[in-house]
Amino acid sequence: MSFGQGGPQSQWDPWKPQSQQPSQQPWNSGQADNTPDWAALAEASEARAKRRRLLFIGGGTLATVAIATAVAVAVVSANGSGQASDGPSSRLPATADIPSASATAPSFAPTSAPPPLDPKDFVSSVKKDKAPLGPDLLFPGTQLTMGETVYKKGPTADTRTCGSAAQKTLPKVLTDNGCTRMMRVTYTQGDVAVTVGVAVFDTEAQAAKAKQQADETSIIRSLSGGGVKSFCTGAVCRSTTNSYGRYAYFTIAGFTDGKDVTEKTTEVFKAGDDLAEFAFRQIRQRGEAQASAAAEAG
């Protein structure tokens, strides 16, 4: 294509660095004036646009190839052979590398506290009831306070012949069931006197049977002396019978002036009940002390 007359055809192309731009070459279309060649300009603009589109397409292809390469490298690195890299690593250990919680947790054999020792067991058989025993140990001190009432301690007695400390039907009951010892002590409060007697057997079964066989006439002998007048030798008195462990305990209560006990003389009933309750507490406490000692000893 010729852009004008009067000289050689120009080889300059604005998209080719090697081409040379003609210096001061006038634009003309064969006419005498300097009017631009609009057709030539349009053709050059179209050529530039075509090259730009090719450049953009080529650049996009190169970018796609670069991204694909990066992804491939990342995948290879994640699935690599496990070789150490030169840079720092923040990779978490695999599941097999993490110790299991159950594998390191300590295990303990099931344990349970031993059942508490039963104090009654230690006063239910001569084989376990080994603590020292005597009337002054079972009934210590010189007086006894029950509630607001104070009882003065009087004479005591201890015998291996149980029947000699009993009367009416009680001697036979004690002998038949193997009584081995009878301890007695008397307490007074005003003109009221109470003798409490504790019979000792080898087993709980013997004591329980003696209690069962005792009747209304099975009574112990009152104990006087040491400032305590004789009582319950001919007057009407009140008696009680009970047992705990290998011990059976009895009371006889009345007036030291020889009066008979009636249903209205409540002070005699109260005194007899107080001494029976105290005897029970002392026997039970004996069992508790021995159970505690056995538990501490292991």
Side-chain angles (χ1 to χ4, degrees), residues 120-259:
K120 190 176 181 181
D121 289 344
F122 289 85
V123 290
S124 294
S125 171
V126 67
K127 295 179 179 179
K128 297 187 70 172
D129 190 7
K130 299 296 185 180
L133 181 62
D136 289 328
L137 294 174
L138 203 57
F139 301 98
T142 60
Q143 65 181 27
L144 168 65
T145 301
M146 297 291 287
E148 297 180 355
T149 306
V150 177
Y151 299 94
K152 183 180 178 180
K153 183 180 177 182
T156 61
D158 187 5
T159 180
R160 301 288 176 171
T161 307
C162 298
S164 65
Q167 55 184 331
K168 302 294 180 71
T169 60
L170 186 56
K172 185 178 186 303
V173 171
L174 297 176
T175 303
D176 289 348
N177 289 286
C179 178
T180 61
R181 187 175 184 179
M182 173 69 81
M183 296 172 290
R184 290 179 296 164
V185 59
T186 296
Y187 288 87
T188 61
Q189 197 277 321
D191 59 352
V192 176
V194 181
T195 296
V196 53
V198 178
V200 184
F201 300 86
D202 288 344
T203 66
E204 180 181 12
Q206 290 173 317
K209 190 174 181 180
K211 171 191 172 182
Q212 182 182 8
Q213 293 178 351
D215 55 27
E216 293 182 356
T217 62
S218 298
I219 56 178
I220 60 172
R221 292 185 180 273
S222 61
L223 181 63
S224 58
V228 178
K229 296 179 180 179
S230 179
F231 66 100
C232 295
T233 56
V236 177
C237 292
R238 191 231 184 185
S239 65
T240 65
T241 301
N242 214 327
S243 69
Y244 182 81
R246 70 184 187 110
Y247 300 90
Y249 51 97
F250 311 86
T251 67
I252 185 168
F255 293 105
T256 56
D257 60 5
K259 293 188 303 185

Side-chain angles (χ1 to χ4, degrees), residues 119 122-123 131 282-296:
F122 289 85
V123 290
Q282 290 300 97
I283 298 170
R284 183 180 64 182
Q285 195 277 333
R286 176 180 173 85
E288 291 172 351
Q290 293 182 88
S292 178
E296 292 178 0

Side-chain angles (χ1 to χ4, degrees), residues 51-101:
R51 289 178 178 275
R52 189 178 295 110
R53 285 195 301 271
L54 293 175
L55 180 62
F56 289 160
I57 294 173
T61 303
L62 292 176
T64 303
V65 172
I67 293 173
T69 303
V71 172
V73 171
V75 171
V76 170
S77 298
N79 298 326
S81 60
Q83 295 178 349
S85 61
D86 295 335
S89 173
S90 60
R91 182 179 67 88
L92 290 175
T95 303
D97 299 333
I98 302 176
S100 172

